[in-house]
Amino acid sequence: KQWYQRRVVITAGRVENFANQLEHLRVQDAEEYNMVKIKLETDVQVLEQQLQAMRATYQLNSEKLDYNFTVLKKREEENTITKSQQKRKKYRLRLCVDTTA
């Protein structure tokens, strides 16, 4: 009977020790979980801000490309007109040279 009572006391002490360790681990894990959660939420906010900045940059670059494309098309039209005018002028000058020769 003594041995059994001593065993029960030791076992009860061990159970209490394990319960304390378990509670300590739960608290520690909860604190770690909260820190990780806050860090991940902060990371998400930073990434969302970067995404918005990238979208704004993309929009600006897209508008610049559209503008530059329009300018190049206009220059191409102007160059085509200038080439046509120069061809006519060259043709008239050649006619003048051929008629005076």
Side-chain angles (χ1 to χ4, degrees):
K1 218 173 188 185
Q2 274 184 340
W3 175 82
Y4 177 74
Q5 287 175 347
R6 198 167 126 209
R7 180 102 170 129
V8 169
V9 169
I10 291 173
T11 305
R14 289 181 77 187
V15 168
E16 186 178 335
N17 186 20
F18 288 140
N20 289 339
Q21 287 179 357
L22 184 61
E23 182 61 26
H24 176 72
L25 288 174
R26 284 183 182 153
V27 169
Q28 190 177 4
D29 286 347
E31 290 172 356
E32 185 178 340
Y33 170 81
N34 287 332
M35 287 190 315
V36 170
K37 182 179 175 184
I38 290 169
K39 182 189 179 314
L40 291 175
E41 287 172 349
T42 303
D43 290 348
V44 166
Q45 288 176 352
V46 168
L47 290 172
E48 286 175 348
Q49 289 172 350
Q50 289 175 349
L51 178 61
Q52 289 176 350
M54 286 295 144
R55 284 184 175 155
T57 301
Y58 170 80
Q59 182 67 29
L60 181 62
N61 287 340
S62 179
E63 290 172 5
K64 285 180 182 179
L65 286 172
D66 289 343
Y67 173 77
N68 288 338
F69 181 74
T70 303
V71 168
L72 287 174
K73 284 300 247 182
K74 184 82 169 159
R75 285 183 185 172
E76 185 179 33
E77 291 171 7
E78 291 170 357
N79 288 341
T80 301
I81 292 169
T82 302
K83 279 172 59 177
S84 177
Q85 289 172 347
Q86 288 176 347
K87 281 182 183 178
R88 277 189 247 122
K89 187 174 181 179
K90 179 181 169 185
Y91 178 75
R92 277 182 275 156
L93 289 173
R94 188 172 299 252
L95 279 178
C96 287
V97 169
D98 287 345
T99 55
T100 57

